[in-house]
Amino acid sequence: MMKTNIRLIALLISAVISHAEISAQISLTRTKPEGQSNWDLYIKGLIQTDVMIDFQDMKLKDGFAAQSIVIPQHNAISSNFSIKQSQIGVGIEQKNSTDRLSAYIEIDFYGPNGTTAPRFRHGYLQWNKWLLGQTWSNFSDLEIFPNMFDFVPPDGLMFTRRLQWRYSTPLAKKSILSLSLEDPNIPSITLPSDSLNWKKRTLLPTFTALYRYGTEKNYIKAGAVLSPISYDMKYTSQEDYQARTIIGWGMMVSGKIHVTPQTILSLQSSFGKGYATNNSDLNEEKYDAVPNPSRGNALETLRLFNIVGICEHWWAPRWSSVIFYSYSKVGEETFIPKEMTREFRNFGFNIAFQPYKKVRMGIETNYGKKETFENKEAHAWRIQVSTALSF
């Protein structure tokens, strides 16, 4: 599998270098059936190599996430070489038509069990204002993602991929509204261990709304998410299961401003209850709802607050840096399991050199710290050296 991946990457690099005009994507072919509009088939992606050095044990090796820091503190040095952040996407788009129709599919190499097997990332159909398939959740802000190498964003950001059905429409010259119904299997919950096999139930889809106001460079966004959480419960083996549904919710404010042509400031904050799986660090970590023993182990949603600040500065046309700080805090309810994380923070900084428009290289450092509800804590440093070629 490794040899196959290396050959594939080598062929892609050769194709990009031999392409006369490097653009955001490479057009493979254009066709125009008689009496119909043009169709454009294209490929785009990223080839990235990473060398990472950790100074503390972490469960996640190919991206930095404070939630994955191992407790207790160990201060063990380890290294990791990776190409898993590389991505390849293929799309087809209808041109010169009053109807906009397109399809796109993308993979990376973040395979299971530490392998470099291809992993499905995106796959969707788009027709005019409608989108159907898997891509970034509508309760996210792609535009705030800074010029950094780690594909795991600052820990407090709302940043996850979801199966969804989305509708987007402009309301005015500078404003856009997007609504979506997303995968009903999104909620990630903790069930009691002595629960007679209580079961998570997939029932109602998650609903999101996102409003954007501003220009291409400067904007503000406000978003909301409603996440029904359903499960089956019973108290004796003779009983039938009873279905119960509680509602998680979250609010998000996000924005970006170009202070000068060289300096960009970004900010995102979010809060709510039962929406933690939308957080890039807590995705599928069972923080949406936990059992409350004083109420017969009925599930209750957990509060979560996040705030992230990012500054990106271009020192020269080919040199840039990003610095960011992120803080997240889970609620203080007394029934939360003591081993769960109460708060975590994340600080990062990089220096990037871009000798060509589509080539980046540089060094990046990440620091994270987490504390549990039993007052145990650990922190971690990572240094990452990366080279990336996009096409």
Side-chain angles (χ1 to χ4, degrees), residues 114-195:
T115 68
T116 54
R119 179 185 68 160
F120 176 72
R121 282 172 55 87
H122 300 277
Y124 57 86
L125 295 170
Q126 195 165 10
W127 177 63
N128 293 335
K129 299 178 180 180
W130 297 93
L131 180 147
L132 178 62
Q134 177 171 300
T135 189
W136 299 112
S137 169
N138 191 46
F139 193 65
S140 301
D141 183 3
L142 300 184
E143 298 175 82
I144 203 174
F145 199 98
N147 186 32
M148 56 186 290
F149 293 98
D150 191 349
F151 73 162
V152 175
D155 291 336
L157 288 184
M158 299 295 103
F159 212 80
T160 54
R161 291 184 298 274
R162 300 296 186 215
L163 284 167
Q164 61 189 279
W165 182 24
R166 184 192 301 178
Y167 176 77
S168 303
T169 185
L171 300 180
K173 184 177 180 181
K174 293 184 178 181
S175 61
I176 299 174
L177 176 66
S178 298
L179 307 172
S180 74
L181 294 176
E182 302 188 358
D183 189 356
N185 198 35
I186 286 175
S188 182
I189 60 178
T190 299
L191 292 171
S193 57
D194 56 348
S195 61

Coordinates of all heavy atoms in Angstrom, one line a residue, residues 114-195:
G114 N -3.7 3.8 12.0 CA -2.4 4.3 11.7 C -1.9 4.1 10.3 O -0.7 4.4 10.0
T115 N -2.7 3.6 9.4 CA -2.3 3.3 8.0 C -2.4 4.5 7.1 O -3.0 5.5 7.5 CB -3.1 2.1 7.4 OG1 -4.5 2.6 7.2 CG2 -3.1 0.9 8.3
T116 N -1.9 4.5 5.9 CA -2.1 5.5 4.9 C -3.1 5.1 3.9 O -3.0 5.6 2.7 CB -0.7 5.8 4.2 OG1 -0.2 4.6 3.7 CG2 0.3 6.4 5.2
A117 N -4.0 4.3 4.2 CA -5.1 3.9 3.3 C -6.0 5.1 3.0 O -6.1 6.0 3.9 CB -5.9 2.8 3.9
P118 N -6.5 5.3 1.8 CA -7.4 6.4 1.5 C -8.6 6.5 2.4 O -9.2 5.4 2.8 CB -7.8 6.1 0.0 CG -6.7 5.2 -0.5 CD -6.3 4.4 0.6
R119 N -9.0 7.7 2.8 CA -10.1 7.9 3.6 C -11.1 8.9 2.9 O -10.6 10.0 2.4 CB -9.7 8.5 5.0 CG -10.9 8.8 5.9 CD -10.5 9.4 7.2 NE -10.0 10.8 7.0 CZ -9.9 11.7 7.9 NH1 -10.3 11.4 9.2 NH2 -9.4 12.9 7.7
F120 N -12.3 8.6 2.9 CA -13.3 9.5 2.2 C -13.5 10.8 3.1 O -13.7 10.7 4.3 CB -14.6 8.7 2.1 CG -15.8 9.6 1.6 CD1 -15.8 9.9 0.2 CD2 -16.8 10.0 2.4 CE1 -16.8 10.7 -0.3 CE2 -17.9 10.7 1.9 CZ -17.9 11.1 0.5
R121 N -13.4 11.9 2.4 CA -13.5 13.2 3.1 C -14.8 14.0 2.6 O -15.6 14.3 3.4 CB -12.3 14.1 2.8 CG -11.1 13.8 3.6 CD -9.9 14.6 3.1 NE -10.1 16.0 3.1 CZ -9.9 16.8 4.2 NH1 -9.5 16.3 5.3 NH2 -10.1 18.1 4.1
H122 N -14.9 14.2 1.3 CA -16.0 14.9 0.8 C -16.6 14.2 -0.4 O -15.9 13.5 -1.2 CB -15.6 16.3 0.3 CG -15.0 17.2 1.3 ND1 -15.7 17.9 2.2 CD2 -13.7 17.4 1.7 CE1 -14.9 18.6 3.0 NE2 -13.7 18.3 2.7
G123 N -17.9 14.3 -0.5 CA -18.6 13.8 -1.7 C -20.0 14.4 -1.8 O -20.8 14.1 -0.9
Y124 N -20.2 15.2 -2.7 CA -21.5 15.9 -2.8 C -21.9 16.3 -4.2 O -21.1 16.5 -5.1 CB -21.5 17.1 -1.8 CG -20.5 18.1 -2.1 CD1 -20.7 19.1 -3.1 CD2 -19.3 18.1 -1.5 CE1 -19.7 20.1 -3.4 CE2 -18.3 19.1 -1.7 CZ -18.5 20.1 -2.7 OH -17.6 21.0 -3.0
L125 N -23.2 16.5 -4.4 CA -23.8 17.1 -5.6 C -24.3 18.5 -5.2 O -24.9 18.7 -4.1 CB -25.0 16.3 -6.1 CG -24.6 14.8 -6.6 CD1 -25.9 14.1 -6.8 CD2 -23.8 14.9 -7.8
Q126 N -24.1 19.4 -6.2 CA -24.6 20.8 -5.9 C -25.4 21.3 -7.2 O -24.9 21.2 -8.3 CB -23.4 21.7 -5.7 CG -23.8 23.1 -5.1 CD -22.7 23.8 -4.5 OE1 -21.5 23.4 -4.7 NE2 -22.9 24.9 -3.8
W127 N -26.6 21.7 -6.9 CA -27.5 22.2 -8.0 C -28.1 23.6 -7.6 O -28.8 23.6 -6.6 CB -28.6 21.2 -8.3 CG -29.6 21.7 -9.4 CD1 -29.3 22.0 -10.7 CD2 -30.9 22.0 -9.1 NE1 -30.4 22.5 -11.3 CE2 -31.5 22.5 -10.4 CE3 -31.8 21.9 -8.1 CZ2 -32.8 22.9 -10.6 CZ3 -33.1 22.3 -8.2 CH2 -33.6 22.8 -9.5
N128 N -27.6 24.6 -8.3 CA -28.0 26.0 -7.9 C -27.8 26.3 -6.4 O -26.7 26.2 -5.9 CB -29.4 26.2 -8.4 CG -29.6 26.2 -9.9 OD1 -28.6 26.5 -10.6 ND2 -30.8 25.9 -10.4
K129 N -28.9 26.4 -5.7 CA -28.8 26.8 -4.2 C -28.8 25.6 -3.3 O -28.7 25.7 -2.1 CB -29.9 27.7 -3.8 CG -29.9 29.0 -4.6 CD -31.1 29.9 -4.2 CE -31.1 31.2 -5.0 NZ -32.3 32.1 -4.6
W130 N -28.8 24.4 -3.9 CA -29.0 23.2 -3.1 C -27.7 22.3 -3.1 O -27.0 22.2 -4.1 CB -30.1 22.3 -3.6 CG -31.5 23.0 -3.5 CD1 -32.1 23.7 -4.5 CD2 -32.3 23.0 -2.4 NE1 -33.3 24.2 -4.1 CE2 -33.5 23.7 -2.8 CE3 -32.3 22.4 -1.2 CZ2 -34.5 23.9 -1.9 CZ3 -33.4 22.6 -0.3 CH2 -34.5 23.3 -0.7
L131 N -27.4 21.7 -2.0 CA -26.2 20.8 -1.8 C -26.7 19.6 -1.1 O -27.4 19.7 -0.1 CB -25.1 21.5 -1.1 CG -23.8 20.7 -0.9 CD1 -22.6 21.6 -0.9 CD2 -23.8 19.9 0.4
L132 N -26.3 18.4 -1.6 CA -26.6 17.1 -1.0 C -25.4 16.2 -1.0 O -24.8 16.0 -2.0 CB -27.8 16.4 -1.7 CG -28.2 15.1 -1.2 CD1 -28.8 15.2 0.2 CD2 -29.2 14.5 -2.2
G133 N -25.0 15.8 0.2 CA -23.8 14.9 0.4 C -23.0 15.2 1.6 O -23.5 15.8 2.6
Q134 N -21.8 14.8 1.6 CA -20.9 15.0 2.8 C -19.9 16.1 2.5 O -19.1 16.0 1.5 CB -20.2 13.7 3.2 CG -19.2 14.0 4.4 CD -18.6 12.7 4.9 OE1 -19.4 11.9 5.4 NE2 -17.3 12.6 4.9
T135 N -19.9 17.1 3.3 CA -18.9 18.2 3.3 C -18.9 18.9 4.6 O -19.5 18.4 5.6 CB -19.1 19.1 2.1 OG1 -18.0 20.0 2.0 CG2 -20.4 20.0 2.3
W136 N -18.2 20.0 4.7 CA -18.1 20.7 6.0 C -19.5 21.1 6.5 O -20.3 21.5 5.7 CB -17.2 22.0 5.9 CG -15.9 21.7 5.5 CD1 -15.3 22.0 4.3 CD2 -14.9 21.0 6.2 NE1 -14.0 21.6 4.3 CE2 -13.7 20.9 5.5 CE3 -14.8 20.4 7.5 CZ2 -12.5 20.3 5.9 CZ3 -13.7 19.8 8.0 CH2 -12.5 19.8 7.2
S137 N -19.7 20.9 7.8 CA -21.0 21.2 8.4 C -21.3 22.7 8.1 O -20.4 23.6 8.1 CB -21.0 21.0 9.9 OG -22.1 21.5 10.6
N138 N -22.6 23.0 8.0 CA -23.0 24.4 7.9 C -22.8 25.2 9.1 O -22.6 26.4 9.1 CB -24.5 24.4 7.6 CG -25.0 25.8 7.1 OD1 -24.4 26.5 6.3 ND2 -26.1 26.2 7.7
F139 N -22.6 24.5 10.3 CA -22.3 25.1 11.5 C -20.7 25.2 11.7 O -20.2 24.7 12.7 CB -22.9 24.4 12.7 CG -22.9 25.1 14.0 CD1 -23.6 26.3 14.2 CD2 -22.2 24.6 15.1 CE1 -23.6 26.9 15.4 CE2 -22.1 25.2 16.3 CZ -22.8 26.4 16.5
S140 N -20.1 25.7 10.7 CA -18.6 25.8 10.6 C -18.3 27.1 9.9 O -19.2 27.7 9.3 CB -18.0 24.7 9.9 OG -18.3 23.4 10.5
D141 N -17.0 27.5 10.0 CA -16.6 28.7 9.2 C -15.3 28.4 8.6 O -14.2 28.5 9.2 CB -16.4 29.9 10.1 CG -16.0 31.2 9.4 OD1 -15.9 31.1 8.2 OD2 -15.8 32.2 10.1
L142 N -15.3 27.9 7.3 CA -14.1 27.6 6.6 C -13.2 28.8 6.4 O -11.9 28.6 6.3 CB -14.4 27.0 5.2 CG -15.3 25.7 5.2 CD1 -15.5 25.2 3.8 CD2 -14.7 24.6 6.1
E143 N -13.7 29.9 6.2 CA -13.0 31.1 5.9 C -12.0 31.6 7.0 O -11.0 32.3 6.7 CB -13.9 32.3 5.5 CG -14.8 32.0 4.3 CD -15.7 33.1 4.1 OE1 -15.3 34.2 3.5 OE2 -16.9 33.0 4.5
I144 N -12.3 31.1 8.2 CA -11.5 31.6 9.3 C -10.2 30.7 9.5 O -9.3 31.1 10.2 CB -12.3 31.5 10.7 CG1 -11.7 32.5 11.7 CG2 -12.4 30.1 11.2 CD1 -12.6 32.6 13.0
F145 N -10.2 29.6 8.8 CA -9.0 28.7 8.9 C -7.8 29.4 8.5 O -7.7 29.9 7.3 CB -9.2 27.4 8.1 CG -8.4 26.3 8.5 CD1 -8.9 25.3 9.3 CD2 -7.0 26.2 8.1 CE1 -8.1 24.2 9.7 CE2 -6.2 25.1 8.5 CZ -6.8 24.1 9.3
P146 N -6.8 29.5 9.3 CA -5.6 30.3 9.0 C -4.6 29.5 8.1 O -4.8 28.3 7.8 CB -4.9 30.5 10.4 CG -5.4 29.3 11.2 CD -6.7 28.9 10.7
N147 N -3.5 30.2 7.7 CA -2.5 29.7 6.8 C -1.5 28.8 7.7 O -0.4 29.2 7.9 CB -1.8 30.8 6.1 CG -0.8 30.3 5.1 OD1 -1.0 29.3 4.5 ND2 0.3 31.0 4.9
M148 N -2.0 27.7 8.2 CA -1.3 26.8 9.0 C -1.1 25.4 8.3 O -1.8 25.1 7.4 CB -1.9 26.7 10.4 CG -3.3 26.2 10.4 SD -4.1 26.2 12.1 CE -3.2 24.9 12.9
F149 N -0.2 24.6 8.9 CA 0.1 23.3 8.2 C -0.7 22.2 8.8 O -1.1 21.2 8.1 CB 1.6 23.0 8.4 CG 2.5 23.9 7.6 CD1 3.1 25.0 8.2 CD2 2.7 23.8 6.2 CE1 3.9 25.9 7.5 CE2 3.4 24.6 5.5 CZ 4.1 25.7 6.1
D150 N -1.0 22.2 10.1 CA -1.7 21.1 10.8 C -3.1 21.1 10.3 O -3.8 22.2 10.3 CB -1.7 21.3 12.3 CG -2.2 20.1 13.1 OD1 -2.8 19.2 12.4 OD2 -2.0 20.1 14.3
F151 N -3.6 20.0 9.8 CA -5.0 19.9 9.3 C -6.0 19.9 10.4 O -7.2 19.9 10.2 CB -5.2 18.8 8.3 CG -5.3 17.4 8.8 CD1 -5.8 16.4 8.1 CD2 -4.7 17.1 10.1 CE1 -5.8 15.1 8.6 CE2 -4.8 15.8 10.6 CZ -5.3 14.8 9.8
V152 N -5.6 19.7 11.7 CA -6.5 19.9 12.8 C -6.4 21.4 13.2 O -5.4 21.9 13.5 CB -6.0 19.0 14.0 CG1 -6.9 19.3 15.2 CG2 -6.1 17.5 13.6
P153 N -7.6 22.1 13.2 CA -7.6 23.5 13.4 C -7.4 23.8 14.9 O -7.4 22.9 15.7 CB -8.9 23.9 12.9 CG -9.8 22.7 13.2 CD -8.9 21.5 12.9
P154 N -7.3 25.1 15.3 CA -7.3 25.4 16.7 C -8.4 24.8 17.4 O -9.6 24.7 16.9 CB -7.4 27.0 16.6 CG -6.8 27.4 15.4 CD -7.1 26.3 14.4
D155 N -8.2 24.2 18.6 CA -9.1 23.3 19.2 C -10.5 23.8 19.5 O -11.4 23.0 19.6 CB -8.5 22.8 20.6 CG -7.2 22.0 20.4 OD1 -7.1 21.4 19.3 OD2 -6.4 21.9 21.3
G156 N -10.7 25.1 19.6 CA -12.0 25.6 20.0 C -12.9 25.9 18.8 O -14.1 26.3 19.0
L157 N -12.4 25.6 17.6 CA -13.2 26.0 16.4 C -14.3 24.9 16.1 O -14.2 23.8 16.4 CB -12.4 26.1 15.1 CG -11.4 27.3 15.0 CD1 -10.7 27.2 13.6 CD2 -12.2 28.6 15.1
M158 N -15.5 25.4 15.6 CA -16.5 24.5 15.1 C -16.1 24.1 13.7 O -16.1 24.9 12.7 CB -17.8 25.3 15.0 CG -18.4 25.8 16.4 SD -18.7 24.4 17.5 CE -17.3 24.5 18.6
F159 N -15.7 22.8 13.5 CA -15.0 22.4 12.3 C -15.2 20.9 12.1 O -14.3 20.2 12.5 CB -13.6 22.9 12.3 CG -13.0 23.2 10.9 CD1 -13.2 24.5 10.4 CD2 -12.2 22.3 10.2 CE1 -12.7 24.8 9.2 CE2 -11.7 22.6 9.0 CZ -12.0 23.9 8.5
T160 N -16.3 20.5 11.5 CA -16.5 19.0 11.3 C -17.1 18.8 9.9 O -17.8 19.7 9.4 CB -17.4 18.4 12.4 OG1 -18.6 19.2 12.4 CG2 -16.7 18.5 13.7
R161 N -17.0 17.6 9.4 CA -17.6 17.2 8.1 C -18.9 16.4 8.5 O -18.9 15.6 9.4 CB -16.7 16.3 7.3 CG -15.5 17.1 6.7 CD -14.7 16.2 5.7 NE -14.2 15.1 6.4 CZ -13.0 15.1 7.1 NH1 -12.3 16.2 7.1 NH2 -12.6 14.0 7.7
R162 N -20.0 16.7 7.7 CA -21.3 16.1 7.9 C -22.0 15.7 6.6 O -21.9 16.4 5.6 CB -22.2 17.0 8.7 CG -21.7 17.4 10.1 CD -21.5 16.3 11.0 NE -21.2 16.7 12.4 CZ -20.4 16.1 13.2 NH1 -19.9 14.9 12.8 NH2 -20.1 16.5 14.4
L163 N -22.7 14.6 6.7 CA -23.7 14.3 5.6 C -24.9 15.3 5.8 O -25.3 15.5 7.0 CB -24.3 12.9 5.8 CG -23.4 11.8 5.3 CD1 -23.9 10.4 5.8 CD2 -23.3 11.8 3.8
Q164 N -25.3 15.9 4.8 CA -26.3 17.0 4.9 C -27.1 17.3 3.6 O -26.7 16.9 2.5 CB -25.6 18.3 5.4 CG -24.5 18.8 4.4 CD -23.7 19.9 4.9 OE1 -24.1 21.1 4.9 NE2 -22.5 19.6 5.4
W165 N -28.1 18.0 3.9 CA -28.9 18.6 2.8 C -29.0 20.1 3.1 O -29.6 20.5 4.1 CB -30.3 18.0 2.8 CG -31.2 18.4 1.7 CD1 -30.9 19.0 0.5 CD2 -32.7 18.4 1.7 NE1 -32.0 19.3 -0.3 CE2 -33.1 18.9 0.5 CE3 -33.6 17.9 2.6 CZ2 -34.5 19.0 0.1 CZ3 -34.9 18.0 2.3 CH2 -35.4 18.5 1.1
R166 N -28.4 20.9 2.2 CA -28.2 22.4 2.5 C -28.9 23.2 1.5 O -28.8 22.9 0.3 CB -26.8 22.7 2.7 CG -26.5 24.2 3.1 CD -25.0 24.5 2.9 NE -24.1 23.7 3.7 CZ -22.8 23.8 3.7 NH1 -22.2 24.7 2.9 NH2 -22.1 23.0 4.4
Y167 N -29.4 24.4 1.9 CA -30.0 25.4 1.0 C -29.3 26.7 1.4 O -29.3 27.1 2.5 CB -31.5 25.5 1.2 CG -32.1 26.6 0.4 CD1 -32.3 26.4 -1.0 CD2 -32.5 27.8 1.0 CE1 -32.9 27.4 -1.8 CE2 -33.1 28.8 0.2 CZ -33.3 28.6 -1.1 OH -33.8 29.6 -1.9
S168 N -28.7 27.4 0.4 CA -28.1 28.7 0.6 C -28.6 29.7 -0.4 O -28.8 29.4 -1.6 CB -26.5 28.6 0.3 OG -26.0 27.6 1.2
T169 N -28.9 30.9 0.1 CA -29.5 31.9 -0.8 C -29.0 33.3 -0.4 O -28.9 33.6 0.8 CB -31.0 31.9 -0.8 OG1 -31.5 32.8 -1.7 CG2 -31.6 32.2 0.6
P170 N -28.7 34.2 -1.3 CA -28.3 35.6 -0.9 C -29.6 36.3 -0.5 O -30.7 36.2 -1.1 CB -27.7 36.2 -2.2 CG -28.3 35.3 -3.3 CD -28.5 34.0 -2.8
L171 N -29.5 37.1 0.6 CA -30.6 38.0 1.0 C -30.4 39.4 0.5 O -31.4 40.1 0.4 CB -30.6 37.9 2.5 CG -30.9 36.5 3.2 CD1 -30.9 36.7 4.7 CD2 -32.1 35.9 2.7
A172 N -29.2 39.8 0.3 CA -28.9 41.1 -0.2 C -27.5 41.1 -0.8 O -26.9 40.0 -0.9 CB -28.9 42.2 1.0
K173 N -27.0 42.2 -1.2 CA -25.7 42.2 -1.9 C -24.5 41.7 -1.0 O -23.7 41.0 -1.5 CB -25.3 43.7 -2.3 CG -24.0 43.8 -3.1 CD -23.8 45.2 -3.5 CE -22.5 45.3 -4.3 NZ -22.2 46.7 -4.8
K174 N -24.6 41.9 0.3 CA -23.5 41.4 1.2 C -23.9 40.4 2.2 O -23.2 40.0 3.0 CB -23.0 42.6 2.0 CG -22.3 43.7 1.1 CD -21.7 44.8 2.0 CE -20.9 45.8 1.2 NZ -20.3 46.8 2.0
S175 N -25.1 39.8 2.0 CA -25.6 38.8 3.0 C -26.0 37.5 2.4 O -26.7 37.5 1.3 CB -26.7 39.4 3.9 OG -27.8 39.8 3.1
I176 N -25.7 36.4 3.1 CA -26.1 35.1 2.6 C -26.7 34.3 3.8 O -26.1 34.4 4.9 CB -24.9 34.3 2.0 CG1 -24.4 35.1 0.8 CG2 -25.3 32.9 1.6 CD1 -23.1 34.4 0.2
L177 N -27.7 33.5 3.6 CA -28.3 32.7 4.6 C -28.2 31.2 4.1 O -28.6 30.9 3.0 CB -29.8 33.0 4.8 CG -30.5 32.1 5.8 CD1 -29.9 32.3 7.2 CD2 -32.0 32.5 5.8
S178 N -27.7 30.3 5.0 CA -27.6 28.9 4.7 C -28.4 28.1 5.8 O -28.2 28.4 7.0 CB -26.2 28.5 4.6 OG -25.5 29.1 3.6
L179 N -29.2 27.2 5.3 CA -29.9 26.3 6.2 C -29.6 24.9 5.9 O -29.4 24.5 4.7 CB -31.5 26.5 6.1 CG -32.0 28.0 6.2 CD1 -33.4 28.1 5.9 CD2 -31.7 28.5 7.7
S180 N -29.5 24.0 6.9 CA -29.2 22.6 6.6 C -29.9 21.6 7.5 O -30.1 22.0 8.7 CB -27.7 22.4 6.6 OG -27.2 22.4 7.9
L181 N -30.2 20.4 7.0 CA -30.5 19.3 7.8 C -29.3 18.3 7.7 O -28.9 17.9 6.6 CB -31.8 18.6 7.3 CG -33.1 19.4 7.4 CD1 -34.2 18.7 6.8 CD2 -33.4 19.7 8.9
E182 N -28.8 17.9 8.9 CA -27.6 17.2 8.9 C -27.8 15.8 9.6 O -28.7 15.6 10.3 CB -26.4 18.0 9.5 CG -26.2 19.3 8.8 CD -25.0 20.1 9.3 OE1 -24.3 19.6 10.2 OE2 -24.7 21.1 8.7
D183 N -26.8 14.9 9.3 CA -26.9 13.5 9.8 C -27.5 13.4 11.1 O -27.0 13.9 12.1 CB -25.4 13.0 9.8 CG -25.3 11.5 10.0 OD1 -26.4 10.9 10.3 OD2 -24.2 11.0 9.9
P184 N -28.6 12.6 11.3 CA -29.2 12.4 12.6 C -28.3 11.6 13.5 O -28.6 11.5 14.7 CB -30.5 11.6 12.3 CG -30.3 11.0 11.0 CD -29.3 11.9 10.2
N185 N -27.2 11.0 13.0 CA -26.3 10.2 13.9 C -25.2 11.0 14.5 O -24.3 10.5 15.0 CB -25.7 9.0 13.0 CG -25.2 8.0 13.9 OD1 -25.7 7.7 15.0 ND2 -24.1 7.4 13.5
I186 N -25.3 12.4 14.3 CA -24.2 13.3 14.8 C -24.0 13.2 16.3 O -22.9 13.1 16.8 CB -24.5 14.7 14.4 CG1 -24.3 14.9 12.9 CG2 -23.7 15.7 15.2 CD1 -24.6 16.3 12.3
P187 N -25.1 13.3 17.1 CA -24.8 13.4 18.6 C -23.9 12.2 19.1 O -24.0 11.1 18.7 CB -26.2 13.3 19.2 CG -27.1 13.8 18.1 CD -26.5 13.4 16.8
S188 N -23.0 12.6 20.0 CA -22.1 11.7 20.6 C -22.3 11.7 22.1 O -22.0 12.7 22.8 CB -20.7 12.0 20.3 OG -19.7 11.1 20.8
I189 N -22.8 10.6 22.7 CA -23.3 10.6 24.1 C -22.6 9.5 24.9 O -22.1 8.5 24.4 CB -24.8 10.4 24.1 CG1 -25.2 9.0 23.5 CG2 -25.5 11.6 23.4 CD1 -26.7 8.7 23.6
T190 N -22.6 9.7 26.2 CA -22.1 8.7 27.2 C -23.3 8.0 27.8 O -24.2 8.7 28.4 CB -21.3 9.4 28.3 OG1 -20.1 10.0 27.7 CG2 -20.8 8.3 29.3
L191 N -23.4 6.7 27.7 CA -24.5 5.9 28.3 C -24.0 5.3 29.6 O -22.8 4.9 29.7 CB -25.0 4.8 27.3 CG -25.7 5.4 26.0 CD1 -25.9 4.2 25.1 CD2 -27.0 6.0 26.4
P192 N -24.9 5.1 30.5 CA -24.4 4.5 31.8 C -24.0 3.1 31.6 O -24.6 2.3 30.8 CB -25.7 4.6 32.7 CG -26.8 4.8 31.7 CD -26.3 5.5 30.6
S193 N -23.0 2.7 32.4 CA -22.4 1.3 32.2 C -23.3 0.2 32.7 O -23.2 -0.9 32.3 CB -21.0 1.3 32.9 OG -21.2 1.6 34.3
D194 N -24.2 0.6 33.7 CA -25.1 -0.4 34.2 C -26.5 -0.2 33.7 O -27.5 -0.2 34.4 CB -25.1 -0.3 35.7 CG -25.5 1.0 36.3 OD1 -25.5 2.0 35.4 OD2 -25.7 1.2 37.5
S195 N -26.6 0.1 32.4 CA -27.9 0.6 31.9 C -28.7 -0.5 31.2 O -29.7 -0.1 30.4 CB -27.6 1.7 30.9 OG -26.8 1.2 29.8

